Amino acid sequence: MKTIIVTLLTLFTAVISAFAQDFQGMAVYESKTSTADFKSSFAGNREITPEMQKTIEERMKQMFEKTFILNFDRNASIYKEEEKLDATGQSGSMRMMSGMMGGGGTNYKNVKEKIYSVDKEFFGKEFLIKDSLPKLDWKLEGETKQIGNYTCFKATAVRPVSQSDFKNYRKKQDDKKADDKSEETKTDDKKTTNFTDGWEMPTEMVVTAWYTPDIPVNQGPENYWGLPGLILEVNDGKTIILCSKIVMNTKEKKEIKAPSKGKVVTQAEYDKIVTEKMAEMREMNQGQGGRGSQFRMGGQ
């Protein structure tokens, strides 16, 4: 095992030194998050008609199945959701929900300076998150698999979870067990309870990544980095991000620079803003008997 790892690191160092200064590449990633837990939250709700259920599932597909483009060079990258023709027709609430589910904005990483920044819109206010890149303690494995034309190696790590990325929510174990029971044993109170009561945000999760030394850049989708080769796949148990296309030495060079608009905050500060505002909105919603509500950012 040690021999394999040393060989990979040596190859990574040797090949990357051969790259020209203007080297640039582009990778397309398909991100898909399991919606099984979310769908089960609406099961048995008499107020949701089949038409409403269909609409909900279509909106879930928009939020949980996305395509991203990663443009990268030796030191930096930008990762951004692919623009679609109907994107301009999205409502403000849909854009906000998309951002809370991992979409929206430009995610910039500079692996040389070990910093990242991403612009986010939340309740009509623009934020610019600037922070140090999270350093993952990757464990390099000997297992390999083929992704497209590239031989990839497996790596695993435990990473902290962003509390503002709502796609990381998991259903509580007690509620999962309750879903396994027959509908006859469920009380009406259970059906009318705010479904968010049955959710929890983990503090950390195990991720599995597959990287290829054939593309010796210290880059990957989202905030993943730190492996001796481009990361082509990431799986955290709920969301899978898989590379579907790679173009090396693109003819049209993409300007790779950090976003600059928005109120500058750290990741922890942004997470706090989001969780506090969502808790406030939830309380307002419960106070109105479950009816929808609007709410302002206040002094933020």
Side-chain angles (χ1 to χ4, degrees):
M1 178 64 70
K2 289 184 178 180
T3 302
I4 295 176
I5 294 174
V6 170
T7 301
L8 286 174
L9 293 174
T10 302
L11 178 64
F12 177 76
T13 303
V15 177
I16 197 170
S17 64
F19 274 93
Q21 291 294 325
D22 61 349
F23 161 78
Q24 190 175 116
M26 184 273 289
V28 180
Y29 291 87
E30 309 297 334
S31 175
K32 186 172 183 179
T33 299
S34 170
T35 60
D37 285 350
F38 291 94
K39 289 181 180 179
S40 68
S41 299
F42 299 100
N45 191 324
R46 301 169 188 162
E47 298 180 359
I48 298 180
T49 65
E51 291 75 17
M52 293 170 63
Q53 182 73 25
K54 183 179 180 181
T55 299
I56 290 172
E57 291 182 1
E58 289 176 350
R59 294 293 174 86
M60 281 187 176
K61 183 178 178 66
Q62 292 178 31
M63 289 190 293
F64 290 101
E65 296 184 18
K66 299 175 179 293
T67 300
F68 292 87
I69 307 296
L70 178 74
N71 289 280
F72 58 90
D73 57 26
R74 291 179 58 185
N75 298 321
S77 69
I78 52 174
Y79 183 73
K80 191 172 183 178
E81 186 176 350
E82 182 182 50
E83 294 183 2
K84 297 181 180 179
L85 294 177
D86 61 350
T88 55
Q90 287 186 350
S91 65
S93 60
M94 277 298 293
R95 287 195 300 271
M96 183 189 73
M97 287 300 296
S98 178
M100 291 165 63
M101 296 299 176
T106 298
N107 193 324
Y108 169 85
K109 295 197 301 290
N110 189 310
V111 297
K112 183 178 181 179
E113 299 178 5
K114 295 180 174 55
I115 58 173
Y116 76 94
S117 58
V118 56
D119 51 346
K120 292 280 187 179
E121 180 182 341
F122 185 64
F123 277 93
K125 187 172 181 63
E126 293 183 347
F127 292 93
L128 180 60
I129 304 168
K130 301 181 74 173
D131 218 320
S132 300
L133 273 172
K135 189 178 186 307
L136 298 182
D137 186 15
W138 291 108
K139 179 182 178 183
L140 304 185
E141 313 280 1
E143 187 176 345
T144 65
K145 76 172 181 178
Q146 200 76 9
I147 298 180
N149 296 323
Y150 298 92
T151 299
C152 296
F153 290 80
K154 181 180 180 180
T156 57
V158 177
R159 74 167 178 87
V161 172
S162 170
Q163 301 298 298
S164 61
D165 189 348
F166 280 31
K167 73 175 184 293
N168 292 322
Y169 265 109
R170 265 68 168 164
K171 203 163 188 185
K172 293 180 180 178
Q173 291 301 316
D174 289 345
D175 288 79
K176 286 186 177 182
K177 293 176 182 178
D179 286 342
D180 294 336
K181 298 178 181 179
S182 63
E183 290 296 326
E184 289 78 8
T185 63
K186 294 181 180 179
T187 64
D188 288 339
D189 286 341
K190 180 71 174 178
K191 292 179 181 180
T192 57
T193 298
N194 190 318
F195 79 91
T196 56
D197 292 337
W199 293 85
E200 61 185 358
M201 179 75 80
T203 57
E204 60 183 27
M205 60 178 59
V206 177
V207 296
T208 299
W210 295 88
Y211 64 95
T212 176
D214 294 339
I215 306 176
V217 293
N218 199 354
Q219 291 286 350
E222 292 190 352
N223 273 0
Y224 293 107
W225 70 292
L227 287 169
L230 181 66
I231 300 172
L232 300 190
E233 181 180 334
V234 177
N235 187 337
D236 65 14
K238 188 170 185 179
T239 298
I240 297 176
I241 306 174
L242 178 63
C243 183
S244 60
K245 179 182 178 181
I246 297 176
V247 179
M248 305 300 294
N249 293 316
T250 53
K251 293 182 179 179
E252 296 183 8
K253 301 298 181 183
K254 179 77 174 180
E255 186 177 16
I256 299 176
K257 68 176 184 177
S260 57
K261 294 183 179 180
K263 178 183 177 180
V264 177
V265 293
T266 64
Q267 185 67 60
E269 290 170 339
Y270 180 74
D271 288 349
K272 183 179 180 182
I273 290 170
V274 171
T275 53
E276 287 182 350
K277 294 303 179 182
M278 293 307 294
E280 183 180 340
M281 187 177 73
R282 179 167 167 264
E283 290 176 3
M284 292 175 63
N285 188 57
Q286 289 177 331
Q288 296 183 16
R291 297 190 300 272
S293 62
Q294 294 289 330
F295 128 150
R296 298 180 181 275
M297 285 294 292
Q300 293 292 343

